[in-house]
Amino acid sequence: MENELISKTIDFVKLKLKNAEAGHDWFHIERVWKLSKKIAENEDGDLEIIELGALLHDIADPKFHNGDEELALKISRDFLESQNLEDVKIKKVLFIIKNISFKNRNEKAEISIENPVKELQIVQDADHLDAIGAIGIARTFNFGGFKNNKMYDPEILPKLKMSKEEYKKSDGTTINHFYEKLLLLKDLMNTETAKKIASKRHDFMENFLNEFLQEWDVKI
Ligand code: ADP
Ligand code: NI
């Protein structure tokens, strides 16, 4: 049984994400939450902070909120304060939400006692694992469809060195997203547990891409 704060948070997140795009909906959160708990079994880290960080990490993704990077922090703070969580714990959860994103990977997070690096690393691994493998492929095509992007265009090449701003604006093809992000995630995993899971999921994506490109060129 979960504690009461966790079940209240689950209800809050489900309600907030009721109409979310299928790649960033409650089920994405549920998978990241479960993966975080699985990774945490082999790591040190405060489970309450990990669970709250996982549950709230996409409460207001900037790409669905006009690029607003503060909104998720505000919504999470207001919610956790309404639940009377201690301020020092709230700060730790907000640190995870602020620093989890792939597009912020080059901005070094400030480390301090209030900033729980281990907990961030665990939730980030879980979020990145849900971006790869079979689920990752499905989420990516769903998002591409949602944005009305092309699946693939042999004339549009992947951009491997995009700045954060370019990445956010990118309306490249869905296949290019594999080269611009998904295939890079395996080497960004923080924990040993996640590295093992990532390796299998990565191989599956490589196979998928090989098949996709062969079928595209009618080679099979
Ligand atoms: P993060 O949430 O770590 O910052 P993103 O917001 O870039 O990462 O992406 C989250 C997920 O949304 C990706 O793993 C992918 O499934 C989907 N996604 C994001 N950008 C694109 C894109 N340009 N094309 C297809 N899918 C995308
Ligand atoms: Ni996420």
Side-chain angles (χ1 to χ4, degrees), residues 2-193:
E2 296 115 28
N3 76 33
E4 203 189 328
L5 174 58
I6 298 296
S7 29
K8 288 233 173 103
T9 309
I10 291 170
D11 292 344
F12 177 72
V13 175
K14 278 186 182 166
L15 193 64
K16 274 268 175 215
L17 296 181
K18 206 163 30 105
N19 299 315
E21 176 265 322
H24 293 82
D25 61 359
W26 159 251
F27 293 111
H28 163 61
I29 306 303
E30 187 180 45
R31 290 188 302 269
V32 171
W33 174 50
K34 288 182 176 169
L35 272 166
S36 297
K37 288 197 283 184
K38 195 177 263 304
I39 297 168
E41 285 171 13
N42 304 324
E43 306 286 332
D44 301 326
D46 180 337
L47 199 56
E48 187 181 35
I49 302 297
I50 292 167
E51 291 192 54
L52 291 172
L55 288 169
L56 290 165
H57 84 275
D58 271 337
I59 198 72
D61 188 321
K63 51 183 174 309
F64 304 116
H65 295 87
N66 298 319
D68 187 341
E69 296 193 11
E70 299 300 319
L71 188 60
L73 300 172
K74 179 172 176 355
I75 293 175
S76 300
R77 171 172 280 289
D78 288 351
F79 170 74
L80 294 172
E81 278 176 356
S82 78
Q83 302 301 310
N84 300 316
L85 188 67
E86 295 149 63
D87 199 53
V88 57
K89 289 189 180 177
I90 295 181
K91 284 194 177 125
K92 290 182 181 185
V93 177
L94 298 188
F95 175 77
I96 295 176
I97 300 168
K98 189 167 190 290
N99 293 293
I100 190 170
S101 174
F102 171 80
K103 64 186 170 307
N104 294 337
R105 68 195 176 287
N106 295 325
E107 295 170 12
K108 281 274 158 277
E110 256 176 65
I111 297 170
S112 73
I113 298 174
E114 279 185 349
N115 298 342
V117 173
K118 194 76 220 178
E119 286 81 351
L120 167 64
Q121 288 179 330
I122 290 170
V123 183
Q124 186 174 57
D125 277 359
D127 194 32
H128 284 169
L129 283 175
D130 202 55
I132 62 176
I135 297 267
I137 294 169
R139 289 181 69 212
T140 302
F141 278 93
N142 196 81
F143 185 83
F146 178 80
K147 299 273 283 183
N148 204 21
N149 290 344
K150 287 182 184 172
M151 287 203 297
Y152 177 54
D153 183 336
E155 295 193 345
I156 306 178
L157 297 178
K159 294 189 193 137
L160 294 179
K161 290 225 161 75
M162 280 187 282
S163 69
K164 179 175 167 183
E165 288 314 308
E166 287 170 322
Y167 180 82
K168 284 199 300 194
K169 276 199 287 230
S170 171
D171 55 359
T173 70
T174 299
I175 288 293
N176 280 355
H177 193 65
F178 286 78
Y179 297 96
E180 291 164 354
K181 173 183 178 190
L182 307 185
L183 294 172
L184 310 178
L185 293 177
K186 161 176 84 71
D187 293 328
L188 293 178
M189 296 295 159
N190 304 299
T191 64
E192 288 309 312
T193 314

